[in-house]
Amino acid sequence: MTEMSAKTRKAIQTQAENLSKKVEHFTKAEIECLIQHFNSLLADQVSRGKAAHGLDRGRFRGILQNVFGLTNAMMMDGVFRCFDKDGDGTVTVEEWIRGHAVFLRGTLDERMKYCFQVYDLNDDKYISKEEIFHMLKQSFIKQPTEEDPDEGLKEVVEITMKTMDHDHDSLLSFEDFKKSVQAENLLLEAFGTCLPDPMHIKKFEQLVFQEQHEQ
Amino acid sequence: MGLTLTRAAQWTTSSSGTAKLESTPLNESLLKEILEFVEKIGSKSPQEAEHVFEEPLQWNTTLVASHFKKGYNTRGSTVKSNEKDSEGNPLLQLSPPSLYVRNFSQLSKLLHVAKDRKLQEVQACLEENRDPMVNILGWNFISKLDRTRSPPEVPIDASEKDVKVKLFILLQDIDKKILNKLVAEISEQVQLDPTIVTKEVELFKQCCTEGEERLLKSLRYTSDFEFSNGCRAPLWRQALGEICYLVIEPCDGEILNITCSSAGVFLNAGFQQEGDESHYERKSDFYEDLASLLKNRSPHFAENINKQVVDGEERGRAQKSEKQQENIVHQWERLQRALYGRKKCDTCQRWRNLGVLTVCGPAEEEKARKSSVEKKRPGARSRMKAELSASYSPGHLSSQRTKTSAGAVVEEQFSESSSETEEEEEQPERRSETNPDLPSEYWQIQKLVKYLKAADQTVTVLVLCAMMELDLTKETCQLAIQDLGGLEVLLNLLDTNDIRCKIGSLKILTKISQNGFLRQTIVHMRGLQRMVNNLDSPVKELQALAAETIANVAKDRRARRTVRHHGGIRKLVKLLDCIHDSANLRANMEKDLEVARCGASALWSCSKSSKNKEAIRKAGGIPLLGRLLRSPQENMLIPVVGTLQECASQESYRVAIQTEGMIEDLVKNLRRDNDELQMLCASAIFKCAEDKRTRDLVRSNKGLQPLVSLLAKADNKQLLAAATGAIWKCSFSMKNVAIFQESKALQTLIGLLTDQPEDVLVNVVGALGQFAQKPANKTAICNGGGIKALINLLNGTNQALLVNVTKAVGACATEKDNVAIIDQLDGVRLVWSLLKNPSTEVQSSAAWALCPCIENAKDAREMVLFLIGGLELIVHLLKSTNNEVRTSICAVVAKLAKDKEILGVLTDRGVVSLLAELINTTDNRLRCYLAEAIGHCCMWRNNRASFGEYGAVGPLVRYLESKDTSVLMSTAMALYQLSKEPSNIITMHEEGVVQQLIHLTGSDDSKLQEFAAGCLRNIRLLSLANQRAACSNENP
């Protein structure tokens, strides 16, 4: 990055200037860092022969796994869906920074919205029992003694639904979700880890934001 | 090798009738061991390796001629080795598919040739030669040797015999080695404890006697061979949890073939010979022990054992000392206890108390133990889950159990059987029916715990949240979580890396650890260690929850020690350090404060043991607590002040509280409208105000008035005790008393003399004693009805209270009018009788109180002589070893001796010699009162001479070297009285008294001058008389 030309540097600054007006939680300097980091990630991808203006799904998932320690494939797809606002299959620099605003610094409200979106697999603004079941399918170690191995999971879904579904329509609306999470914060990532844990956030921020200080 | 093959290897019979070695991990490691042995025998013991087998080992090989190269003679498909035995037969011969080998060195070479197929070759060899020892050494040799284990007396060639014996021993050694290794391997996978079974078998063997009384006809193991772990089942059955097999012949009925396994005892399919798998099959239910199986199967046994138990109990009750107690039934009972353990009984008892009956059998217990062992191994989590997945079903001993064995999961399904009902009828006590009224939470928790064991972190959190929805403050829920294995899982979660799981687990643990039983179990399961480990997590919420849970658990002594031993105190103190000035951290202030609050709560719990107080100080906790003391939040202040007041029992803390300006904050918090906080602050002041500077600080910070206003909250006894305590200690300073009186504290305190708990009374009376130092207050106490209440308290037994009451009464008695009232209320007699109290503190305090009573009594003679035995008591106490008691009694003697008649009685009781014995003391206070007592006792002439005879005069003169004016005063007085006796004057003169007396005549005190001068006068008179006598002698 040291051999970055003055021109690209200028371009990044303007970009950061613009973005800092649209995105909360980051200072302009931090946004610059994020852009640079994004560009370097993109450069890796380009050097592998694909010209692109954004990160594709595979690359994005790789980052989630390696940098943020997320492992569940279904969750990673959900995260990609949330980042990729326009749904074009790539995460652009703006989407990247907007996503990270929630990812790294989001308020409880923002994170609730984000998690809800990840869990709402078919994007119908409700989380159904079937969706929950689908998300948790891999989470149960099947017991050989059980006649129906899914029975336990079904029961857990049932119990969870009972505590979270405040309006008793057998669907979790955002309102239901919000109410439950406010009562018990642990329910924020109820159906799968889709946010990085504090240790990973710290490591990432150190990595990205310290690069800037060193320059 | 023989034993290994018959005891350890798992054989199956194939359809063709030949036995096969199963491909189990156990057999595999067995083969590898044998292979290794054969490969090495050539180099290790060449002589034995060359020994030619009695019969060749023969098997169908997969090797062909092309495999054999150097050292072999190949012709077509047949191969012969170049080496031959003494008769010229080749030692190895291959005529496909059969292979003959005639010594170990050839075997070893062959395996070398076979390369990667050598394992199959060994297997084939063993499968086709079921008893290789016979082939190798010959049947004759084996049958002779095996029985005796001594060199055989068979007439064979000496050198050959020698080699044979060596080989035999070699084979036996390797046999043993392999077996032990396999046993060790097995026990890593399955925990078997044969001791209980062995004990029970031993016991029942004794029951196989002759006659009507006997319980059983016979009992024997199927196998005499015992493995190094104490089990007798073949190794591959041990892997399934089986311990041994028994054949029992009951007095009535058929022979029973029994399997004892870690899961319980059951009937097997009558296995007589090892090797046939079908015989191991289970044919009955699981029973928890042999006794219950036998009870079920043999009515004779059930009847007799029950009879004997009842008999035994009755006899035991009737004649406890009888040797008969040691009879078999009691042993059986003991064994029962050992089998089920205390834990189970507790559990049952508690559930029974709650109306929830269930049985937790030894299998469960053993499982719990096993899984706890399992968990210590890192990385075994998933396996542990499989292990733990057995469900719990009350009322039945054994339910579905899964066991991990050698990597394969084997299931033993619980099957209902007809014997079930009989079984329950026969054991109504232990095995009561399942109560249909189990609370619904119980079933809910059972399900949740089960899910918890089978879930990944996401579902674990969901299940934990579901558990939080239950009412965890209910004891039924708390105990259910413990008894259904939930507690263990919750604690295990603390060892994981998942923050959310840990938080969820701790949220539950903080609630259920309100229960004392669970706290003990948590400590027992190393729960505190795991919580302490989480105290330095970077996640604040986790730190806070861990500390909060520790605060609950550390209510027990043992727990507090555990926290310290694992470095918990240091970590907790670190949590207090939360106030940072940097602006960017202010956002996290709330979380930091919460962490600090929880840390302080935990420290509060821990600070109840003195070693922890020391540890907190060493970790630098005092300044941090001082800083938090300035916090505005009451919920923060309570644990902080709580810790401080707890620790204030130590000098170092009291000094720190005073010097670091904490008194100001404590006083400030006295004014908050929070009973608990006020109580803690008052208690801290109570403990610190023994120090004068602290008392002054309380005053200068205007803390006295709020203390008095706390007296209004008389309903809160804890608060009242703390407040009155603080008032008592603060009133040691007279300036403070004046301020207390401005707030009318005296009247309030007098009002608190009745109907209060003792710890309040001690403080109230103590304070009154201090208030009574002021003359006006003495009258106020007596007139306000206070004296009556005080005298009533003299009938009590609380020593601290008695000390304070006598002090207060004594203080009142310094006013002449009051003594009459006290005497009228029988107070003097009561105080006097306290001299008999075993506590020296009470004795001396009572004696001091008597002094003003005697002095101010209208007719002391009548009052004292009326108390029968009172004077004896006084004289007797002069023999006390306690200086304070001696001092106070001397003071009383001094007062009493002023009356001639009383002095007469005292003298008769030997007071003079007893006082003289005390003369050599170095205690200044005692010297002072002793000299005074001596002086007053000199009113009787005889006594003056006696003191001289007892040698009291010389030492008394030496008291004059003292710098203490009161000692000088009373000594001069005593010397003056003693100098009325000429013989004493001589002693005094010899001690050089004149010089010192002349010096004392120059004193500022006129009384002292007078005594000194008086004494000098007596000396002078004697010497003048002497001179005159001398003159008249010279000039008659």
Side-chain angles (χ1 to χ4, degrees):
Chain A
M1 247 183 264
T2 38
E3 69 248 34
M4 198 190 333
S5 69
K7 204 174 150 198
T8 41
R9 188 165 198 121
K10 186 81 195 155
I12 287 173
Q13 275 171 1
T14 343
Q15 209 176 3
E17 179 85 44
N18 286 334
L19 283 171
S20 68
K21 284 170 196 150
K22 296 194 226 165
V23 185
E24 280 182 83
H25 301 309
F26 293 125
T27 64
K28 214 181 108 195
E30 283 170 338
I31 291 183
E32 262 179 61
C33 291
L34 284 167
I35 295 172
Q36 276 173 16
H37 180 72
F38 179 80
N39 287 345
S40 68
L41 292 171
L42 209 54
D44 283 1
Q45 188 175 299
V46 171
S47 67
R48 281 186 293 156
K50 288 184 221 161
H53 66 290
L55 295 169
D56 62 29
R57 184 181 292 261
R59 179 89 181 116
F60 185 81
R61 275 177 58 159
I63 295 165
L64 288 182
Q65 196 156 0
N66 299 330
V67 182
F68 294 110
L70 301 186
T71 48
N72 184 322
M74 203 184 306
M75 286 303 125
M76 288 198 280
D77 278 343
V79 176
F80 184 79
R81 211 173 54 239
C82 286
F83 269 66
D84 181 20
K85 293 255 187 282
D86 57 6
D88 65 350
T90 53
V91 171
T92 62
V93 70
E94 185 176 336
E95 286 168 343
W96 173 260
I97 288 167
R98 274 180 189 283
H100 272 76
V102 179
F103 225 47
L104 305 177
R105 310 252 169 107
T107 61
L108 183 60
D109 255 6
E110 289 167 340
R111 282 184 293 154
M112 283 193 290
K113 273 188 202 132
Y114 161 85
C115 287
F116 186 82
Q117 211 185 335
V118 172
Y119 299 146
D120 181 10
L121 298 177
N122 58 3
D123 203 20
D124 65 349
K125 309 294 173 227
Y126 289 102
I127 304 174
S128 67
K129 269 186 207 169
E130 289 68 34
E131 280 171 307
I132 299 176
F133 189 82
H134 193 61
M135 286 185 276
L136 299 182
K137 218 156 76 185
Q138 306 302 320
S139 300
F140 237 64
I141 297 160
K142 301 236 163 66
Q143 293 186 29
T145 51
E146 211 84 53
E147 302 100 57
D148 179 4
D150 286 337
E151 200 187 9
L153 183 54
K154 273 183 199 149
E155 177 95 30
V156 171
V157 172
E158 217 41 69
I159 297 170
T160 309
M161 202 49 150
K162 220 164 83 192
T163 50
M164 292 181 80
D165 179 21
H166 293 274
D167 53 13
H168 309 295
D169 58 355
S170 293
L171 287 170
L172 286 188
S173 63
F174 181 67
E175 276 312 303
D176 289 329
F177 187 72
K178 191 172 161 182
K179 239 184 187 168
S180 312
V181 176
Q182 277 167 343
E184 176 51 70
N185 284 347
L186 283 176
L187 289 172
L188 178 63
E189 293 178 77
F191 310 121
T193 315
C194 56
L195 285 165
D197 68 29
M199 265 75 82
H200 281 103
I201 292 179
K202 207 171 146 195
K203 233 160 83 188
F204 179 79
E205 291 200 355
Q206 266 171 0
L207 175 79
V208 175
F209 297 147
Q210 256 164 26
E211 267 173 24
Q212 177 212 18
H213 295 304
E214 283 159 15
Q215 277 168 23
Chain B
M1 237 185 289
L3 278 178
T4 313
L5 290 173
T6 48
R7 306 284 171 196
Q10 181 176 356
W11 299 93
T12 44
T13 317
S14 68
S15 50
S16 62
T18 52
K20 287 266 178 229
L21 276 171
E22 281 263 61
S23 80
T24 63
L26 185 76
N27 282 349
E28 230 167 84
S29 48
L30 187 146
L31 286 176
K32 274 185 197 146
E33 290 296 328
I34 294 177
L35 175 69
E36 207 193 345
F37 163 72
V38 175
E39 277 180 326
K40 282 185 184 156
I41 191 170
S43 55
K44 274 189 178 167
S45 15
Q47 206 192 348
E48 286 85 344
E50 293 303 331
H51 177 76
V52 180
F53 297 166
E54 209 64 30
E55 291 283 338
L57 292 170
Q58 175 198 349
W59 71 93
N60 292 333
T61 180
T62 55
L63 298 172
V64 289
S66 60
H67 284 100
F68 298 89
K69 304 246 161 64
K70 222 176 125 207
Y72 298 100
N73 184 1
T74 314
R75 194 173 297 154
S77 60
T78 60
V79 177
K80 284 180 182 171
S81 68
N82 291 343
E83 285 179 57
K84 296 195 166 59
D85 68 7
S86 50
E87 285 153 31
N89 297 324
L91 289 170
L92 180 142
Q93 190 177 357
L94 172 75
S95 42
S98 287
L99 184 66
Y100 303 84
V101 181
R102 301 198 57 175
N103 75 2
F104 269 115
S105 95
Q106 277 302 325
L107 257 182
S108 145
K109 277 181 199 154
L110 172 81
L111 292 174
H112 186 69
V113 165
K115 293 199 178 100
D116 49 356
R117 270 194 265 175
K118 53 191 175 188
L119 214 56
Q120 282 101 299
E121 287 306 314
V122 175
Q123 183 174 348
C125 170
L126 293 174
E127 277 172 351
E128 286 172 47
N129 301 281
R130 283 295 294 274
D131 207 342
M133 295 288 272
V134 175
N135 290 39
I136 294 168
L137 299 169
W139 178 251
N140 243 338
F141 186 83
I142 296 276
S143 56
K144 292 237 162 62
L145 240 186
D146 211 5
R147 223 178 306 120
T148 55
R149 278 228 71 182
S150 62
E153 316 294 341
V154 196
I156 36 171
D157 177 84
S159 74
E160 197 205 13
K161 182 183 85 178
D162 204 38
V163 172
K164 254 189 175 178
V165 170
K166 273 190 191 161
L167 184 59
F168 178 71
I169 291 169
L170 195 72
L171 289 173
Q172 275 208 327
D173 280 349
I174 194 73
D175 212 358
K176 221 189 276 170
K177 222 173 86 192
I178 294 176
L179 271 184
N180 286 344
K181 199 162 168 195
L182 292 176
V183 168
E185 253 177 59
I186 288 286
S187 35
E188 242 172 68
Q189 291 155 1
V190 191
Q191 297 275 333
L192 295 176
D193 190 2
T195 49
I196 287 170
V197 173
T198 318
K199 271 191 205 159
E200 207 178 13
V201 168
E202 282 308 308
L203 189 61
F204 286 132
K205 267 191 181 164
Q206 296 175 31
C207 303
C208 304
T209 46
E210 293 297 316
E212 278 301 303
E213 290 278 331
R214 69 177 176 181
L215 294 169
L216 301 167
K217 265 190 192 156
S218 77
L219 177 154
R220 63 175 176 88
Y221 287 112
T222 54
S223 156
D224 290 333
F225 182 78
E226 194 176 321
F227 286 89
S228 56
N229 60 358
C231 300
R232 288 165 197 260
L235 279 180
W236 63 279
R237 296 302 298 182
Q238 285 190 28
L240 303 178
E242 291 178 6
I243 294 166
C244 64
Y245 310 99
L246 296 166
V247 177
I248 294 181
E249 199 182 345
C251 297
D252 48 353
E254 290 175 11
I255 288 176
L256 301 169
N257 293 295
I258 295 169
T259 301
C260 300
S261 78
S262 60
V265 178
F266 58 84
L267 291 181
N268 61 41
F271 105 67
Q272 297 295 328
Q273 85 195 46
E274 284 156 351
D276 193 344
E277 201 170 354
S278 63
H279 291 310
Y280 293 106
E281 213 175 296
R282 188 156 58 83
K283 288 283 177 201
S284 77
D285 284 342
F286 280 109
Y287 295 86
E288 48 189 334
D289 56 13
L290 265 180
S292 35
L293 183 141
L294 288 171
K295 273 187 186 177
N296 190 6
R297 294 287 160 171
S298 157
H300 172 86
F301 179 86
E303 195 186 307
N304 281 294
I305 194 122
N306 278 340
K307 205 164 66 195
Q308 288 194 31
V309 169
V310 172
D311 284 350
E313 271 175 358
E314 278 172 4
R315 226 179 299 146
R317 247 180 254 123
Q319 33 192 170
K320 278 215 155 162
S321 58
E322 283 271 341
K323 272 254 165 167
Q324 270 172 315
Q325 262 190 314
E326 288 297 316
N327 70 17
I328 213 148
V329 178
H330 280 81
Q331 281 183 34
W332 184 74
E333 280 177 314
R334 260 208 304 280
L335 186 74
Q336 292 282 314
R337 275 201 292 278
L339 278 168
Y340 310 120
R342 195 182 55 82
K343 190 176 148 200
K344 177 218 160 190
C345 298
D346 284 352
T347 315
C348 290
Q349 196 50 47
R350 263 183 287 122
W351 280 109
R352 199 166 288 143
N353 292 344
L354 289 164
V356 181
L357 286 163
T358 173
V359 168
C360 165
E364 258 80 10
E365 216 179 302
E366 128 111 346
K367 193 171 5 157
R369 190 177 56 76
K370 199 193 312 176
S371 52
S372 76
V373 170
E374 200 76 36
K375 244 153 282 147
K376 281 169 199 152
R377 278 183 232 147
R381 193 153 174 261
S382 60
R383 228 176 88 200
M384 165 203 100
K385 284 198 162 167
E387 185 87 18
L388 277 169
S389 61
S391 63
Y392 183 99
S393 94
H396 296 306
L397 167 72
S398 209
S399 52
Q400 295 158 340
R401 284 170 57 86
T402 41
K403 212 173 291 151
T404 326
S405 70
V409 177
V410 178
E411 275 181 56
E412 287 164 349
Q413 286 282 340
F414 178 77
S415 59
E416 293 283 329
S417 89
S418 58
S419 64
E420 183 72 31
T421 43
E422 299 162 27
E423 192 186 334
E424 293 209 358
E425 278 165 13
E426 282 181 16
Q427 290 173 291
E429 262 314 293
R430 267 211 325 276
R431 217 175 260 225
S432 29
E433 313 87 300
T434 313
N435 192 325
D437 301 331
L438 274 169
S440 63
E441 288 102 330
Y442 182 89
W443 302 112
Q444 185 74 4
I445 287 168
Q446 183 181 35
K447 245 188 311 189
L448 292 176
V449 170
K450 197 172 91 190
Y451 299 150
L452 219 44
K453 289 170 183 168
D456 78 342
Q457 59 268 53
T458 304
V459 174
T460 297
V461 171
L462 288 181
V463 176
L464 291 174
C465 287
M467 212 178 248
M468 283 178 227
E469 294 285 309
L470 299 169
D471 184 5
L472 294 174
T473 52
K474 263 169 95 174
E475 197 177 24
T476 9
C477 289
Q478 295 167 344
L479 292 178
I481 290 176
Q482 173 185 297
D483 295 343
L484 294 170
L487 192 53
E488 193 158 14
V489 182
L490 289 174
L491 291 174
N492 284 342
L493 284 175
L494 298 182
D495 287 338
T496 64
N497 287 324
D498 192 273
I499 293 158
R500 293 168 66 241
C501 287
K502 290 193 204 185
I503 289 176
S505 157
L506 283 170
K507 277 185 173 171
I508 294 171
L509 285 170
T510 40
K511 286 190 189 140
I512 59 176
S513 58
Q514 315 274 353
N515 184 306
F517 281 122
L518 268 76
R519 286 205 291 270
Q520 281 176 10
T521 319
I522 290 172
V523 176
H524 200 67
M525 290 180 170
R526 297 170 42 256
L528 279 169
Q529 285 91 311
R530 310 182 201 199
M531 289 169 205
V532 168
N533 289 342
N534 280 305
L535 284 177
D536 36 26
S537 154
V539 184
K540 305 252 181 261
E541 195 181 359
L542 193 54
Q543 287 183 314
L545 281 166
E548 201 171 355
T549 317
I550 291 174
N552 279 341
V553 179
K555 282 180 179 133
D556 306 320
R557 203 167 58 92
R558 189 175 147 214
R560 292 197 284 268
R561 198 179 52 207
T562 312
V563 174
R564 182 177 67 248
H565 285 178
H566 289 86
I569 301 289
R570 202 172 25 79
K571 287 183 183 177
L572 287 169
V573 167
K574 225 161 143 194
L575 297 187
L576 300 181
D577 191 10
C578 67
I579 298 169
H580 305 282
D581 295 323
S582 49
N584 60 336
L585 284 171
R586 201 150 289 168
N588 290 324
M589 194 60 150
E590 211 173 300
K591 277 187 190 166
D592 285 335
L593 284 175
E594 175 65 8
V595 171
R597 185 187 69 79
C598 296
S601 298
L603 285 175
W604 186 13
S605 297
C606 291
S607 66
K608 290 189 174 69
S609 70
S610 54
K611 276 192 184 156
N612 281 348
K613 290 174 194 173
E614 198 54 28
I616 296 171
R617 193 182 61 77
K618 279 194 185 138
I622 302 180
L624 291 172
L625 286 167
R627 205 151 45 151
L628 291 176
L629 194 55
R630 302 206 170 101
S631 154
Q633 281 109 344
E634 279 172 14
N635 64 357
M636 170 73 88
L637 287 166
I638 287 173
V640 169
V641 180
T643 312
L644 282 171
Q645 66 91 25
E646 196 66 59
C647 292
S649 59
Q650 296 210 327
E651 175 72 27
S652 52
Y653 277 87
R654 291 199 291 269
V655 171
I657 288 171
Q658 186 196 87
T659 54
E660 303 207 10
M662 289 189 227
I663 296 292
E664 187 186 343
D665 297 302
L666 289 173
V667 166
K668 205 166 68 197
N669 290 318
L670 273 181
R671 294 203 187 84
R672 284 179 184 267
D673 190 25
N674 180 318
D675 282 10
E676 190 177 10
L677 184 55
Q678 287 173 323
M679 185 268 284
L680 293 169
C681 287
S683 164
I685 293 172
F686 176 19
K687 286 180 184 163
C688 294
E690 295 242 7
D691 184 270
K692 183 176 175 302
R693 241 184 77 77
T694 302
R695 293 199 290 269
D696 293 344
L697 281 170
V698 175
R699 183 179 64 245
S700 60
N701 285 303
K702 306 209 182 326
L704 300 175
Q705 211 280 326
L707 281 175
V708 177
S709 45
L710 287 183
L711 298 182
K713 300 189 178 184
D715 295 335
N716 185 337
K717 296 304 173 196
Q718 261 189 311
L719 176 58
L720 195 59
T724 49
I727 291 174
W728 170 27
K729 295 296 173 181
C730 284
S731 61
F732 276 75
S733 297
M734 281 303 128
K735 273 189 191 167
N736 289 355
V737 174
I739 292 173
F740 279 136
Q741 282 189 278
E742 282 170 21
S743 345
K744 306 231 179 303
L746 184 59
Q747 275 64 37
T748 323
L749 286 173
I750 291 172
L752 290 174
L753 278 174
T754 43
D755 300 330
Q756 296 296 341
E758 278 186 343
D759 52 345
V760 174
L761 285 172
V762 172
N763 299 340
V764 170
V765 175
L768 286 178
Q770 288 304 317
F771 276 62
Q773 303 297 322
K774 291 199 165 186
N777 291 346
K778 292 171 197 167
T779 333
I781 293 169
C782 284
N783 295 344
I787 197 71
K788 193 166 179 197
L790 281 174
I791 286 171
N792 270 341
L793 292 176
L794 287 171
N795 292 309
T797 51
N798 182 320
Q799 296 183 342
L801 181 56
L802 288 174
V803 168
N804 282 355
V805 175
T806 45
K807 264 185 195 153
V809 171
C812 289
T814 49
E815 199 74 3
K816 215 167 170 101
D817 298 340
N818 291 344
V819 178
I821 303 172
I822 294 170
D823 192 27
Q824 204 181 348
L825 292 168
D826 209 17
V828 178
R829 188 188 60 82
L830 284 170
V831 174
W832 204 297
S833 64
L834 286 179
L835 294 175
K836 284 187 260 182
N837 194 286
S839 155
T840 52
E841 245 186 298
V842 176
Q843 288 170 1
S844 62
S845 175
W848 287 119
L850 287 176
C851 293
C853 291
I854 296 161
E855 193 169 14
N856 294 325
K858 238 189 243 153
D859 188 351
R861 181 186 299 174
E862 193 195 340
M863 183 177 84
V864 172
L865 293 178
F866 194 67
L867 293 168
I868 294 151
L871 292 173
E872 273 105 325
L873 200 55
I874 298 279
V875 174
H876 176 75
L877 279 178
L878 280 174
K879 294 178 196 153
S880 166
T881 50
N882 182 294
N883 262 3
E884 185 59 29
V885 175
R886 290 163 165 184
T887 310
S888 57
I889 294 295
C890 283
V892 176
V893 170
K895 302 283 180 217
L896 289 171
K898 284 179 184 169
D899 185 285
K900 273 202 158 189
E901 212 167 303
I902 297 173
L903 177 58
V905 180
L906 285 175
T907 309
D908 287 346
R909 306 274 177 237
V911 76
V912 173
S913 69
L914 286 170
L915 287 173
E917 269 170 35
L918 295 176
I919 200 76
N920 287 320
T921 179
T922 51
D923 184 327
N924 260 344
R925 276 184 80 230
L926 177 53
R927 279 179 169 194
C928 172
Y929 288 99
L930 177 61
E932 197 179 336
I934 291 173
H936 285 292
C937 287
C938 288
M939 263 211 287
W940 279 89
R941 235 191 104 192
N942 290 348
N943 286 355
R944 286 177 220 150
S946 306
F947 280 120
E949 284 159 26
Y950 288 120
V953 177
L956 196 61
V957 172
R958 290 195 283 276
Y959 283 13
L960 291 177
E961 288 156 20
S962 165
K963 303 219 159 47
D964 190 315
T965 45
S966 48
V967 174
L968 289 176
M969 169 72 100
S970 54
T971 309
M973 189 273 280
L975 286 174
Y976 167 67
Q977 295 293 347
L978 288 168
S979 67
K980 289 173 182 167
E981 174 67 35
S983 60
N984 289 343
I985 290 178
I986 297 165
T987 319
M988 286 181 207
H989 201 266
E990 282 167 359
E991 292 287 335
V993 78
V994 178
Q995 196 65 36
Q996 279 164 318
L997 287 173
I998 289 173
H999 181 73
L1000 286 179
T1001 50
S1003 153
D1004 300 333
D1005 192 313
S1006 59
K1007 258 192 161 170
L1008 184 54
Q1009 282 176 7
E1010 225 169 282
F1011 286 132
C1015 189
L1016 282 171
R1017 178 172 171 271
N1018 287 340
I1019 295 170
R1020 193 66 206 142
L1021 281 175
L1022 181 66
S1023 93
L1024 282 175
N1026 262 352
Q1027 278 172 15
R1028 239 180 285 132
C1031 282
S1032 54
N1033 277 356
E1034 275 172 32
N1035 310 308

